[in-house]
Amino acid sequence: MLGTTAIKTSNVSSLAIGTYDYRDTLLASEKVNWNIDDIIGGDKKLDFSKRFMPEALARVQDLSFLNDDEKRILNQIRGYAYLSIFGIVEEFIVPFVLDHVRPSLDTDDYRVRAFLHFAEEEVKHIQLFKRFCEEFRAGFATECKIIGPASEIGKAVLAHNPTSVALAILMIEWMTQAHYLDSIKDDSDLDSQFKSLLKNHWIEEAQHAKLDTRMVESLADGLDEDGIAAAIDGFLAIGGFLDEGLKQQTLFDLEALETATGRTLSVEEREVFVTTQLQANRWTYIGSGMVHPKFQQMLDRLGYDARARIDEVAPVFA
Ligand SMILES: [Fe+2]
Ligand SMILES: [Fe+2]
């Protein structure tokens, strides 16, 4: 039954206890700061004979009707979508972070600098993703469609309760940590250029996850049971909205694969493709964040039945 295992709390201000420090976060981010030109450009090119995405996210190996070349091509299509979708998501993170810090610019200098640095890094990431997308399009023979436009997706997400949006962003930030550490770091067969992008993104996202934890804490501070329930309702609505986008993206990826390989899949093969790849997309962009221990810790700290409600839906995105 929902709520029976959740930690109860009536004082969400206790959330701030033992949390991340703004000064430490800022100093850590300044230490690892990189430039786009260090990562791509000149002789730093994508190698299209290699896979771009780890199999744990791409899930192409079980598509037995595809040969090895076709699996690699699909893997690369998924890589292009990964760059594009993260670019889309980060476009709504930037205004959200700026809006969060704007009303209190005179309270804590480290806090302000940490959040502005966070926003600046996301803008840099968007630019980096765009550069990689350009490289991809230059080296990949056919068109790969992407959901969008980013501005409409952002508008729909940002229309939700701010605590819901902050929770969705927190899920995304922790997700990038899991992607790199669990399935990219030790995969020595990935294209080194693509892997370098994922590694450099992971390095900076580590501080974002901490800062977003602080955002959720301050937004949820003082919320009662109804307030927490509304935040989770909004979070689930954002998840449902993103899931609709992933359904469309899966169909775009199918189309891209058929165009790139010059092959038309049978009705049965398409069905298997859509089922398998939609689930792979769900895990990549939603499920892997929902089950991240740090995200779950935040849900526990929110109290009431926040954790139980997310635990109940997480298997859909596994
Ligand atoms: Fe980012
Ligand atoms: Fe981020």
Side-chain angles (χ1 to χ4, degrees):
M1 191 181 148
L2 283 183
T4 51
T5 56
I7 296 167
K8 298 279 182 187
T9 176
S10 57
N11 180 14
V12 188
S13 62
S14 63
L15 284 171
I17 294 169
T19 192
Y20 302 107
D21 181 77
Y22 288 124
R23 182 173 179 274
D24 292 347
T25 311
L26 179 69
L27 295 179
S29 67
E30 284 175 340
K31 232 179 257 175
V32 299
N33 205 242
W34 42 259
N35 290 313
I36 290 177
D37 292 336
D38 299 336
I39 301 172
I40 191 153
D43 59 354
K44 295 186 277 294
K45 300 250 181 238
L46 293 170
D47 178 354
F48 285 84
S49 71
K50 299 276 205 171
R51 291 181 299 121
F52 293 172
M53 293 290 283
E55 174 59 18
L57 302 180
R59 297 189 188 172
V60 303
Q61 286 305 328
D62 287 346
L63 299 172
S64 55
F65 48 86
L66 299 181
N67 64 33
D68 287 348
D69 279 347
E70 290 164 341
K71 285 176 181 170
R72 178 179 41 77
I73 289 168
L74 175 57
N75 178 296
Q76 292 168 354
I77 292 168
R78 290 286 310 285
Y80 180 68
Y82 189 90
L83 299 172
S84 309
I85 290 173
F86 265 95
I88 289 170
V89 163
E90 301 209 344
E91 271 194 47
F92 68 72
I93 295 179
V94 174
F96 187 79
V97 171
L98 292 176
D99 285 351
H100 181 75
V101 73
R102 166 111 192 151
S104 46
L105 292 174
D106 57 352
T107 49
D108 174 345
D109 291 339
Y110 280 118
R111 175 181 177 277
V112 173
R113 289 179 62 201
F115 278 117
L116 291 179
H117 194 71
F118 174 178
E120 193 275 336
E121 281 182 347
E122 294 294 38
V123 176
K124 183 177 70 175
H125 297 173
I126 293 166
Q127 200 179 3
L128 179 72
F129 293 139
K130 282 183 188 162
R131 286 280 298 278
F132 266 79
C133 282
E134 282 166 21
E135 286 273 334
F136 182 94
R137 287 193 295 269
F140 197 82
T142 52
E143 189 198 357
C144 302
K145 288 184 194 157
I146 299 295
I147 53 170
S151 56
E152 290 302 315
I153 294 175
K155 210 188 289 172
V157 171
L158 293 173
H160 287 279
N161 175 336
T163 314
S164 310
V165 179
L167 273 172
I169 296 173
L170 183 66
M171 176 184 78
I172 292 162
E173 310 286 11
W174 285 124
M175 179 194 294
T176 61
Q177 301 302 291
H179 290 179
Y180 184 74
L181 293 173
D182 297 350
S183 57
I184 297 162
K185 184 169 169 277
D186 296 325
D187 190 335
S188 53
D189 291 332
L190 294 179
D191 167 50
S192 59
Q193 206 50 42
F194 206 87
K195 186 171 177 175
S196 145
L197 167 132
L198 297 169
K199 181 183 180 184
N200 283 288
H201 192 232
W202 160 73
I203 286 174
E204 292 193 344
E205 289 294 315
Q207 305 312 316
H208 298 185
K210 295 175 188 171
L211 290 168
D212 200 68
T213 300
R214 297 292 310 255
M215 279 204 289
V216 174
E217 286 167 353
S218 63
L219 289 164
D221 188 17
L223 290 184
D224 60 10
E225 185 164 6
D226 288 348
I228 296 292
I232 299 298
D233 287 345
F235 172 81
L236 292 173
I238 293 169
F241 172 73
L242 296 177
D243 194 52
E244 286 304 310
L246 297 178
K247 285 177 189 162
Q248 180 60 61
Q249 188 58 52
T250 303
L251 297 176
F252 282 159
D253 291 350
L254 169 61
E255 191 185 330
L257 176 71
E258 290 190 326
T259 310
T261 58
R263 181 177 164 191
T264 305
L265 300 186
S266 69
V267 174
E268 295 76 25
E269 288 166 345
R270 283 185 182 181
E271 248 175 55
V272 174
F273 180 100
V274 170
T275 308
T276 310
Q277 284 294 293
L278 173 57
Q279 211 52 37
N281 275 314
R282 284 177 164 160
W283 170 249
T284 302
Y285 300 105
I286 300 173
S288 56
M290 270 184 178
V291 299
H292 193 289
K294 294 281 194 182
F295 182 69
Q296 292 176 328
Q297 206 175 68
M298 187 75 241
L299 296 171
D300 281 337
R301 293 166 76 195
L302 291 177
Y304 303 111
D305 61 358
R307 169 75 184 270
R309 289 184 68 194
I310 303 304
D311 283 351
E312 192 184 24
V313 300
V316 174
F317 305 98

